[in-house]
Amino acid sequence: MNSDFTLAIHSLTLLALQPDRMATSDIISESAGVHPVRIRKVLSLLKKHGFIKTKEGTGGGFIFASELSEVNLWDIYKITSEGALQPKCPDSNEKCIVGANMQKVLFSIFLGAEEHLGEYLKNYTIKEVVHHINLEK
Amino acid sequence: MNSDFTLAIHSLTLLALQPDRMATSDIISESAGVHPVRIRKVLSLLKKHGFIKTKEGTGGGFIFASELSEVNLWDIYKITSEGALQPKCPDSNEKCIVGANMQKVLFSIFLGAEEHLGEYLKNYTIKEVVHHINLEK
DNA sequence: CTAATCTGTAATGTTTATTATCACAGTACA
DNA sequence: TGTACTGTGATAATAAACATTACAGATTAG
């Protein structure tokens, strides 16, 4: 799994903490320790799903566009990383009962695993993450 | 996540289907489509935990050493891939409230996620996987 | 007892995935 | 009209996964 999921959470949390003004990709990238272009790419996904708004030009940037308690981590996972749990099986031997069928068996197991993970992630919203961040202060 | 987890499942399933005789790393690697050395590395982990037995020399190889229904996928996950869910966060900015604390917040979330995944994986044993493989025939 | 056939494992090379960087078009504002 | 942003494609650098080589140690067959 790449870190788009955690980058998205990081960015949203930062935006949640300054709901009144926009944050640029430079500011967010400095907080997250990654390149600003990556921030723009990940956040453009979140924009497409309406979680944030963006503005180009001077004074522009990114800003939260929904209720903190309505954005849960499962939503974000699906947008950034759906299918990431799924293992990339090498082409196994079709002549072997196991090789020929293992891939689809594993596929169904991991599909179930991802759904199960979803049940857990649905319980976490950005509001909770922000709360945890504040507790750590 | 690398594919050690699925390789282990694949190998155990193959061994489960021929409980009477040993399988060499060459045979298993041919079924799984990977290099025999990888099979030996992954299976040596399973051996350490007593799930299989090995024998060196002519006629040697790997063989199942426990009850199919007592080897569940969570056991195997823990052996091969524990912590794999955990995202590798880049060093974020310590001067930023979010950057400074996000890592430990994410850590606790992903720890919970892995435990939750465990509850799902515990329900799958090699016996079930073998059963699914046979159904696909 | 010697050659053949295995596992065990370290070391190294190759490939693939992830991430960073560059380049530049488009938008908004002063 | 210049400056400060996002949006996005293309390419380069880095890191992770995987394959390959090499060889020591165990076991068996002849």
Side-chain angles (χ1 to χ4, degrees), chain B residues 5-58:
Chain B
F5 180 41
T6 56
L7 261 187
I9 298 173
H10 190 123
S11 303
L12 285 175
T13 304
L14 193 145
L15 294 182
L17 284 167
Q18 52 167 65
D20 49 333
R21 64 186 194 285
M22 305 205 109
T24 67
S25 59
D26 268 21
I27 292 292
I28 303 173
S29 76
E30 208 171 318
S31 168
V34 300
H35 199 278
V37 170
R38 261 194 88 198
I39 297 292
R40 299 207 286 271
K41 280 176 182 165
V42 172
L43 293 195
S44 78
L45 293 174
L46 298 179
K47 179 196 178 182
K48 279 178 192 161
H49 288 80
F51 293 119
I52 60 175
K53 284 180 184 156
T54 70
K55 202 167 85 178
E56 303 183 10
T58 306

Coordinates of all heavy atoms in Angstrom, one line a residue, chain B residues 5-58:
Chain B
F5 N 2.6 -13.6 2.7 CA 1.4 -14.2 3.3 C 0.7 -15.1 2.3 O 0.3 -16.2 2.7 CB 0.5 -13.0 3.7 CG -0.8 -13.4 4.4 CD1 -0.9 -14.4 5.3 CD2 -2.0 -12.7 4.0 CE1 -2.1 -14.7 5.9 CE2 -3.2 -13.0 4.6 CZ -3.2 -14.0 5.5
T6 N 0.5 -14.6 1.1 CA -0.3 -15.5 0.2 C 0.6 -16.7 -0.3 O 0.0 -17.8 -0.5 CB -0.7 -14.7 -1.1 OG1 0.5 -14.1 -1.6 CG2 -1.7 -13.6 -0.7
L7 N 1.9 -16.5 -0.3 CA 2.8 -17.6 -0.7 C 2.7 -18.7 0.4 O 2.6 -19.9 0.1 CB 4.2 -17.2 -0.8 CG 4.8 -16.9 -2.1 CD1 6.2 -16.6 -2.0 CD2 4.5 -18.0 -3.1
A8 N 2.6 -18.3 1.7 CA 2.5 -19.2 2.7 C 1.2 -20.0 2.7 O 1.1 -21.2 2.8 CB 2.6 -18.5 4.1
I9 N 0.1 -19.3 2.4 CA -1.2 -19.9 2.2 C -1.2 -20.9 1.1 O -1.6 -22.1 1.2 CB -2.3 -18.9 2.0 CG1 -2.4 -17.9 3.2 CG2 -3.7 -19.6 1.8 CD1 -3.4 -16.8 3.0
H10 N -0.6 -20.4 0.0 CA -0.5 -21.3 -1.2 C 0.2 -22.6 -0.9 O -0.2 -23.7 -1.2 CB 0.2 -20.5 -2.3 CG 0.1 -21.2 -3.7 ND1 -0.4 -20.6 -4.8 CD2 0.5 -22.4 -4.0 CE1 -0.3 -21.4 -5.8 NE2 0.3 -22.6 -5.4
S11 N 1.4 -22.4 -0.2 CA 2.2 -23.6 0.1 C 1.5 -24.5 1.0 O 1.5 -25.8 0.8 CB 3.5 -23.1 0.7 OG 4.2 -22.2 -0.2
L12 N 0.9 -24.0 2.1 CA 0.3 -24.8 3.1 C -0.9 -25.6 2.4 O -1.1 -26.8 2.7 CB -0.2 -24.0 4.2 CG 0.8 -23.5 5.2 CD1 0.2 -22.6 6.2 CD2 1.5 -24.7 5.9
T13 N -1.6 -24.9 1.5 CA -2.7 -25.6 0.9 C -2.2 -26.8 0.0 O -2.8 -27.9 0.0 CB -3.4 -24.6 0.0 OG1 -3.8 -23.5 0.8 CG2 -4.7 -25.2 -0.7
L14 N -1.1 -26.5 -0.7 CA -0.6 -27.6 -1.5 C -0.1 -28.8 -0.6 O -0.4 -29.9 -0.9 CB 0.6 -27.0 -2.3 CG 1.2 -27.9 -3.4 CD1 1.6 -27.1 -4.6 CD2 2.3 -28.8 -2.9
L15 N 0.5 -28.4 0.5 CA 1.0 -29.5 1.4 C -0.2 -30.2 2.0 O -0.2 -31.5 2.2 CB 1.8 -28.9 2.5 CG 3.2 -28.3 2.1 CD1 3.9 -27.8 3.4 CD2 4.0 -29.3 1.3
A16 N -1.3 -29.5 2.3 CA -2.5 -30.1 2.9 C -3.1 -31.1 1.9 O -3.7 -32.1 2.4 CB -3.5 -29.0 3.2
L17 N -2.9 -30.9 0.6 CA -3.5 -31.8 -0.4 C -2.7 -33.1 -0.6 O -3.1 -34.0 -1.3 CB -3.8 -31.0 -1.7 CG -4.9 -30.1 -1.7 CD1 -4.9 -29.2 -2.9 CD2 -6.2 -30.9 -1.6
Q18 N -1.5 -33.1 -0.1 CA -0.7 -34.3 -0.2 C -0.1 -34.6 1.2 O 1.2 -34.5 1.3 CB 0.3 -34.3 -1.3 CG 1.2 -33.1 -1.3 CD 2.4 -33.3 -2.3 OE1 2.2 -33.4 -3.5 NE2 3.6 -33.4 -1.8
P19 N -0.9 -34.9 2.1 CA -0.4 -35.0 3.5 C 0.5 -36.2 3.8 O 1.2 -36.3 4.8 CB -1.7 -35.2 4.3 CG -2.7 -35.8 3.3 CD -2.3 -35.3 2.0
D20 N 0.5 -37.1 2.8 CA 1.3 -38.4 3.0 C 2.7 -38.3 2.5 O 3.5 -39.1 3.0 CB 0.6 -39.5 2.2 CG 0.2 -39.1 0.8 OD1 0.0 -37.9 0.6 OD2 0.1 -40.0 -0.1
R21 N 3.0 -37.4 1.6 CA 4.4 -37.3 1.1 C 4.9 -35.9 1.1 O 4.2 -34.9 1.0 CB 4.5 -38.0 -0.2 CG 3.7 -37.3 -1.3 CD 3.8 -38.1 -2.6 NE 3.3 -37.3 -3.7 CZ 2.1 -37.0 -4.0 NH1 1.1 -37.4 -3.1 NH2 1.7 -36.2 -5.0
M22 N 6.3 -35.8 1.1 CA 6.9 -34.5 1.1 C 6.9 -33.8 -0.2 O 6.9 -34.5 -1.3 CB 8.3 -34.6 1.6 CG 8.5 -35.3 2.9 SD 10.0 -34.9 3.8 CE 9.3 -33.9 5.1
A23 N 6.8 -32.5 -0.2 CA 6.9 -31.7 -1.5 C 8.2 -30.9 -1.4 O 8.5 -30.3 -0.4 CB 5.7 -30.8 -1.6
T24 N 8.9 -30.8 -2.5 CA 10.2 -30.0 -2.5 C 9.8 -28.6 -2.8 O 8.8 -28.2 -3.3 CB 11.1 -30.5 -3.6 OG1 10.5 -30.3 -4.9 CG2 11.4 -32.0 -3.4
S25 N 10.8 -27.7 -2.5 CA 10.6 -26.3 -2.8 C 10.5 -26.1 -4.3 O 9.8 -25.1 -4.8 CB 11.8 -25.4 -2.3 OG 13.0 -25.8 -2.8
D26 N 11.1 -26.9 -5.1 CA 10.9 -26.8 -6.6 C 9.5 -27.1 -7.0 O 8.9 -26.3 -7.8 CB 11.9 -27.9 -7.3 CG 13.2 -27.2 -7.6 OD1 13.6 -26.2 -7.0 OD2 13.9 -27.8 -8.5
I27 N 8.9 -28.1 -6.5 CA 7.5 -28.4 -6.8 C 6.6 -27.3 -6.4 O 5.7 -26.9 -7.2 CB 7.1 -29.7 -6.1 CG1 7.9 -31.0 -6.6 CG2 5.6 -30.0 -6.2 CD1 7.5 -31.3 -8.0
I28 N 6.8 -26.8 -5.2 CA 5.9 -25.8 -4.7 C 6.1 -24.5 -5.5 O 5.1 -23.8 -5.9 CB 6.1 -25.5 -3.2 CG1 5.9 -26.8 -2.4 CG2 5.2 -24.4 -2.7 CD1 6.3 -26.7 -0.9
S29 N 7.3 -24.2 -5.8 CA 7.6 -22.9 -6.5 C 7.0 -23.0 -7.9 O 6.6 -22.0 -8.5 CB 9.1 -22.7 -6.6 OG 9.7 -23.5 -7.6
E30 N 6.9 -24.2 -8.5 CA 6.4 -24.3 -9.8 C 4.9 -24.1 -9.7 O 4.3 -23.4 -10.6 CB 6.6 -25.8 -10.3 CG 6.7 -25.9 -11.8 CD 7.2 -27.2 -12.2 OE1 8.1 -27.7 -11.6 OE2 6.6 -27.8 -13.2
S31 N 4.2 -24.5 -8.7 CA 2.8 -24.3 -8.5 C 2.5 -22.8 -8.3 O 1.6 -22.2 -8.8 CB 2.3 -25.1 -7.4 OG 0.9 -24.7 -7.0
A32 N 3.4 -22.2 -7.5 CA 3.1 -20.8 -7.1 C 3.7 -19.8 -8.1 O 3.3 -18.6 -8.0 CB 3.6 -20.5 -5.7
G33 N 4.6 -20.2 -8.9 CA 5.1 -19.3 -9.9 C 6.2 -18.3 -9.3 O 6.3 -17.2 -9.8
V34 N 6.9 -18.8 -8.3 CA 8.0 -17.9 -7.8 C 9.2 -18.8 -7.7 O 9.2 -20.0 -8.0 CB 7.6 -17.4 -6.4 CG1 6.4 -16.5 -6.4 CG2 7.5 -18.5 -5.4
H35 N 10.3 -18.1 -7.2 CA 11.6 -18.8 -7.1 C 11.6 -19.7 -5.9 O 11.2 -19.4 -4.8 CB 12.7 -17.8 -7.0 CG 14.1 -18.3 -7.4 ND1 14.8 -19.0 -6.5 CD2 14.8 -18.3 -8.5 CE1 15.9 -19.4 -7.1 NE2 15.9 -18.9 -8.3
P36 N 12.2 -20.9 -6.1 CA 12.2 -21.9 -5.0 C 12.9 -21.4 -3.7 O 12.5 -21.8 -2.6 CB 13.0 -23.1 -5.6 CG 13.5 -22.7 -6.9 CD 12.7 -21.5 -7.4
V37 N 13.9 -20.5 -3.9 CA 14.5 -20.0 -2.7 C 13.5 -19.2 -1.8 O 13.6 -19.2 -0.6 CB 15.8 -19.1 -3.0 CG1 16.3 -18.3 -1.8 CG2 16.9 -19.9 -3.7
R38 N 12.6 -18.5 -2.5 CA 11.6 -17.8 -1.7 C 10.7 -18.7 -0.9 O 10.4 -18.5 0.2 CB 10.7 -16.9 -2.6 CG 11.2 -15.5 -2.7 CD 10.1 -14.6 -3.3 NE 9.1 -14.1 -2.4 CZ 7.9 -13.7 -2.7 NH1 7.6 -13.7 -4.0 NH2 7.1 -13.2 -1.8
I39 N 10.4 -19.8 -1.6 CA 9.5 -20.8 -0.9 C 10.3 -21.3 0.4 O 9.7 -21.4 1.4 CB 9.3 -22.0 -1.8 CG1 8.4 -21.5 -3.0 CG2 8.5 -23.1 -1.1 CD1 7.0 -21.1 -2.8
R40 N 11.6 -21.6 0.2 CA 12.3 -22.1 1.4 C 12.4 -21.1 2.5 O 12.2 -21.4 3.7 CB 13.7 -22.5 0.9 CG 13.7 -23.6 -0.1 CD 15.0 -24.4 -0.1 NE 16.2 -23.8 -0.6 CZ 16.5 -23.8 -1.9 NH1 15.8 -24.5 -2.8 NH2 17.6 -23.3 -2.4
K41 N 12.5 -19.8 2.1 CA 12.6 -18.8 3.1 C 11.2 -18.6 3.9 O 11.2 -18.6 5.1 CB 12.9 -17.4 2.5 CG 14.4 -17.3 2.2 CD 14.8 -16.0 1.5 CE 16.3 -15.9 1.2 NZ 16.6 -14.8 0.3
V42 N 10.2 -18.6 3.1 CA 8.9 -18.4 3.8 C 8.5 -19.6 4.6 O 8.1 -19.5 5.7 CB 7.8 -18.2 2.7 CG1 6.4 -18.2 3.3 CG2 8.0 -16.8 2.0
L43 N 8.8 -20.8 4.0 CA 8.4 -22.0 4.8 C 9.3 -22.3 6.0 O 8.8 -22.9 6.9 CB 8.4 -23.2 3.8 CG 7.4 -23.2 2.7 CD1 7.2 -24.6 2.1 CD2 6.0 -22.8 3.3
S44 N 10.5 -21.7 6.0 CA 11.3 -21.9 7.2 C 10.7 -21.1 8.3 O 10.9 -21.5 9.5 CB 12.7 -21.4 6.9 OG 12.8 -20.0 6.9
L45 N 10.0 -20.1 8.1 CA 9.2 -19.4 9.1 C 8.1 -20.2 9.7 O 7.9 -20.3 10.9 CB 8.6 -18.1 8.6 CG 9.5 -16.9 8.2 CD1 8.8 -15.8 7.5 CD2 10.3 -16.4 9.4
L46 N 7.4 -20.9 8.8 CA 6.3 -21.7 9.2 C 6.8 -22.9 10.0 O 6.1 -23.4 10.9 CB 5.5 -22.2 8.0 CG 4.8 -21.1 7.2 CD1 4.0 -21.7 6.0 CD2 3.8 -20.3 8.0
K47 N 8.0 -23.4 9.6 CA 8.6 -24.5 10.3 C 8.9 -24.1 11.8 O 8.6 -24.8 12.7 CB 9.9 -24.9 9.6 CG 10.6 -26.1 10.3 CD 12.0 -26.2 9.8 CE 12.8 -27.3 10.6 NZ 14.2 -27.4 10.1
K48 N 9.5 -22.9 11.9 CA 9.8 -22.4 13.3 C 8.6 -22.4 14.2 O 8.7 -22.5 15.4 CB 10.4 -21.0 13.2 CG 11.9 -20.9 12.8 CD 12.4 -19.5 12.7 CE 13.7 -19.5 12.0 NZ 14.1 -18.1 11.5
H49 N 7.4 -22.2 13.6 CA 6.2 -22.2 14.4 C 5.5 -23.5 14.5 O 4.4 -23.6 14.9 CB 5.3 -21.1 13.9 CG 5.8 -19.7 14.2 ND1 6.8 -19.1 13.4 CD2 5.5 -18.8 15.2 CE1 7.0 -17.9 14.0 NE2 6.3 -17.7 15.0
G50 N 6.1 -24.5 13.9 CA 5.6 -25.9 14.0 C 4.5 -26.3 13.1 O 3.9 -27.4 13.3
F51 N 4.2 -25.4 12.2 CA 3.0 -25.8 11.3 C 3.4 -26.9 10.3 O 2.6 -27.6 9.8 CB 2.5 -24.6 10.5 CG 1.9 -23.6 11.4 CD1 2.4 -22.3 11.6 CD2 0.8 -23.9 12.2 CE1 1.8 -21.4 12.4 CE2 0.2 -23.0 13.1 CZ 0.7 -21.8 13.2
I52 N 4.7 -26.9 9.9 CA 5.2 -27.9 9.0 C 6.5 -28.5 9.5 O 7.1 -28.0 10.4 CB 5.4 -27.3 7.6 CG1 6.5 -26.2 7.7 CG2 4.2 -26.8 7.0 CD1 6.9 -25.6 6.3
K53 N 6.9 -29.6 8.9 CA 8.2 -30.2 9.1 C 9.0 -30.2 7.9 O 8.4 -30.2 6.8 CB 8.0 -31.6 9.7 CG 7.5 -31.7 11.1 CD 7.3 -33.2 11.5 CE 6.8 -33.3 13.0 NZ 6.1 -34.5 13.2
T54 N 10.3 -30.3 8.0 CA 11.1 -30.3 6.8 C 12.1 -31.4 6.9 O 12.4 -31.9 8.1 CB 11.9 -29.0 6.6 OG1 12.9 -28.9 7.6 CG2 11.0 -27.8 6.7
K55 N 12.6 -31.9 5.8 CA 13.7 -32.9 5.8 C 14.6 -32.5 4.7 O 14.2 -32.3 3.6 CB 13.1 -34.3 5.7 CG 14.0 -35.3 6.2 CD 13.4 -36.7 6.3 CE 13.4 -37.5 5.1 NZ 12.8 -38.8 5.2
E56 N 15.9 -32.6 5.0 CA 16.9 -32.3 4.0 C 17.3 -33.6 3.3 O 17.0 -34.6 3.8 CB 18.1 -31.6 4.7 CG 17.8 -30.3 5.4 CD 19.0 -29.6 6.1 OE1 20.1 -30.0 5.7 OE2 18.7 -28.7 6.8
G57 N 18.0 -33.4 2.3 CA 18.6 -34.6 1.6 C 17.6 -35.2 0.6 O 16.4 -34.8 0.5
T58 N 18.1 -36.2 -0.1 CA 17.2 -37.0 -1.1 C 15.9 -37.4 -0.5 O 15.9 -38.0 0.6 CB 18.0 -38.2 -1.6 OG1 19.3 -37.8 -2.0 CG2 17.2 -38.9 -2.7

